[in-house]
Amino acid sequence: MTIHVDMDEVLADTYRAHKDIYNEEFNAMLTEEQCMGSEVWHKVPEAHQDSVRNHARRRGFFRNLKPIADSIQVLNELAKKYEVYIASAAMQFPNSLEEKSDWLDEHFPFIPWQNRILCGHKHILKGDVLIDDRSYNLTQFDGRPLLFTSPHNIHTTGIERVNSWKEVAEKLL
Amino acid sequence: MTIHVDMDEVLADTYRAHKDIYNEEFNAMLTEEQCMGSEVWHKVPEAHQDSVRNHARRRGFFRNLKPIADSIQVLNELAKKYEVYIASAAMQFPNSLEEKSDWLDEHFPFIPWQNRILCGHKHILKGDVLIDDRSYNLTQFDGRPLLFTSPHNIHTTGIERVNSWKEVAEKLL
């Protein structure tokens, strides 16, 4: 079985980083609860939105993300049993390419470079399972799509959902 | 129709760069004709092989490659007609990721980031045509494989071959 796993908001906590950087730089107190159902940049005053939207273009942004809870342990178990690929849309931000590679070397060294994919469209992926937080990636996938819960997607329906890596483990291990 | 196109030795002349760098640094006169049927590093004295094998790890190596003859024009025509993706195994050399992205911005700006894929194994690609110089990438591909001629693969048989971008145009345009 071949499993493709998205990176941002599935393995790496991009959402939290957006919120934390915004709070620190604008001396704000935005909480994840306040953001539920939205992107972080939708929840800040209009004058601050460009700043938040450009976090991903900063040097170091992707290198310093925190892994999502239990992702390392569960992916390690999955990789022992199945063919596991990490598939990320990093081509959008060329400065992120090397940072993402370094981040994976640190947190997911058991996924070798041969099993790391950077791409834009995910409908070019052939595989049995795709775990992703974006419905537009999942609806075009031929295999079994699993929507990984992120604050921005809590209102999405019609796709099999996993709320945590513990739930991924229950379904696939 | 979806067409995947490899980068090194199909769009970018990696082979020539290996030969030219070697000749300059070792004051040698290796020709492409002498290399036919082999990798460049197989054709240099054993004491020099590591040097050639490590060219790809140098900063700037991938940024300064020459495009293969007619690749820009033909790919541009293909991209107007079909869904064209560039698929490269860049994850092997993390230093190459940003260089490859910059190189594509310069020579193939008509292929947007969404249609650029960096991956290890190419059997995860879903598509109708794969143009590649490595038989191990082509034999695992579900669609129509086209072996792009490179000095190292001239003895490979059993796969439909294209000797130049003009031949690609004749077959696909």
Side-chain angles (χ1 to χ4, degrees):
Chain A
M1 188 160 85
T2 297
I3 303 175
H4 296 295
V5 181
D6 177 40
M7 209 163 153
D8 292 315
E9 297 175 50
V10 176
L11 297 177
D13 203 342
T14 328
Y15 201 92
R16 174 157 52 152
H18 282 304
K19 176 181 66 62
D20 288 351
I21 293 171
Y22 174 71
N23 280 342
E24 191 172 319
E25 295 187 353
F26 289 89
N27 201 18
M29 309 232 294
L30 197 64
T31 66
E32 203 168 284
E33 288 65 39
Q34 291 173 313
C35 295
M36 281 293 159
S38 293
E39 308 293 345
V40 174
W41 50 84
H42 290 150
K43 290 294 181 177
V44 305
E46 215 179 313
H48 302 167
Q49 287 185 1
D50 275 355
S51 173
V52 177
R53 290 180 71 97
N54 284 317
H55 285 166
R57 299 184 186 280
R58 299 184 186 185
R59 289 269 165 202
F61 178 79
F62 289 101
R63 184 64 189 87
N64 297 313
L65 297 172
K66 299 207 170 43
I68 298 268
D70 305 314
S71 60
I72 295 171
Q73 299 83 338
V74 175
L75 209 69
N76 202 352
E77 292 305 310
L78 287 170
K80 287 175 190 163
K81 213 169 159 183
Y82 307 116
E83 214 182 332
V84 171
Y85 291 85
I86 295 176
S88 178
M91 298 303 291
Q92 188 173 10
F93 305 111
N95 66 295
S96 74
L97 299 172
E98 200 162 344
E99 291 186 18
K100 290 205 170 196
S101 173
D102 291 343
W103 190 88
L104 290 173
D105 283 345
E106 180 185 347
H107 299 291
F108 294 86
F110 51 87
I111 304 289
W113 68 264
Q114 291 92 336
N115 289 44
R116 300 176 185 180
I117 306 163
L118 302 175
C119 60
H121 296 302
K122 295 199 178 157
H123 60 262
I124 54 91
L125 294 175
K126 199 169 64 183
D128 302 297
V129 176
L130 172 60
I131 306 175
D132 205 294
D133 65 306
R134 300 281 165 187
S135 56
Y136 56 76
N137 287 327
L138 294 162
T139 52
Q140 296 191 56
F141 182 66
D142 275 350
R144 178 183 178 184
L146 293 178
L147 180 69
F148 195 90
T149 297
S150 177
H152 71 81
N153 71 23
I154 57 164
H155 299 312
T156 304
T157 54
I159 310 176
E160 185 179 358
R161 183 183 285 275
V162 280
N163 289 302
S164 66
W165 276 96
K166 286 214 169 82
E167 278 191 31
V168 174
E170 282 162 24
K171 281 178 188 276
L172 300 180
L173 282 172
Chain B
M1 187 161 83
T2 298
I3 303 175
H4 297 293
V5 181
D6 178 39
M7 208 162 153
D8 292 315
E9 297 174 51
V10 176
L11 297 177
D13 203 342
T14 329
Y15 201 91
R16 173 155 54 153
H18 282 304
K19 177 181 66 63
D20 288 351
I21 294 171
Y22 174 71
N23 281 342
E24 190 170 322
E25 296 187 355
F26 289 90
N27 200 17
M29 308 234 294
L30 198 63
T31 66
E32 203 168 283
E33 288 64 39
Q34 291 173 312
C35 295
M36 281 295 159
S38 293
E39 308 294 344
V40 175
W41 50 85
H42 289 150
K43 291 294 181 178
V44 304
E46 216 179 313
H48 301 168
Q49 288 185 0
D50 276 355
S51 172
V52 178
R53 290 180 69 97
N54 283 318
H55 285 166
R57 299 184 187 280
R58 298 185 187 183
R59 290 269 163 200
F61 178 78
F62 289 100
R63 184 64 189 88
N64 297 313
L65 297 172
K66 299 205 168 45
I68 297 270
D70 304 315
S71 60
I72 295 171
Q73 299 82 339
V74 175
L75 210 69
N76 202 352
E77 292 306 310
L78 287 171
K80 287 175 190 163
K81 213 168 159 184
Y82 307 116
E83 215 182 332
V84 171
Y85 291 85
I86 295 176
S88 178
M91 300 303 292
Q92 188 173 10
F93 305 111
N95 66 294
S96 74
L97 299 172
E98 200 162 342
E99 291 187 19
K100 289 204 171 196
S101 173
D102 291 343
W103 190 87
L104 290 173
D105 283 344
E106 180 185 347
H107 300 290
F108 295 86
F110 51 87
I111 304 289
W113 68 265
Q114 291 93 336
N115 289 44
R116 301 176 184 181
I117 306 162
L118 302 175
C119 60
H121 297 302
K122 295 199 178 158
H123 61 261
I124 55 92
L125 294 174
K126 199 168 65 184
D128 302 296
V129 176
L130 171 61
I131 306 175
D132 205 295
D133 66 306
R134 301 281 165 186
S135 57
Y136 56 76
N137 286 327
L138 294 162
T139 51
Q140 296 192 57
F141 182 66
D142 274 352
R144 178 183 178 185
L146 293 178
L147 181 69
F148 195 89
T149 297
S150 178
H152 71 82
N153 71 23
I154 57 164
H155 299 312
T156 303
T157 55
I159 310 176
E160 185 179 357
R161 184 184 284 275
V162 280
N163 289 303
S164 66
W165 275 96
K166 287 214 167 82
E167 279 191 31
V168 174
E170 283 162 24
K171 282 178 188 276
L172 300 180
L173 282 172

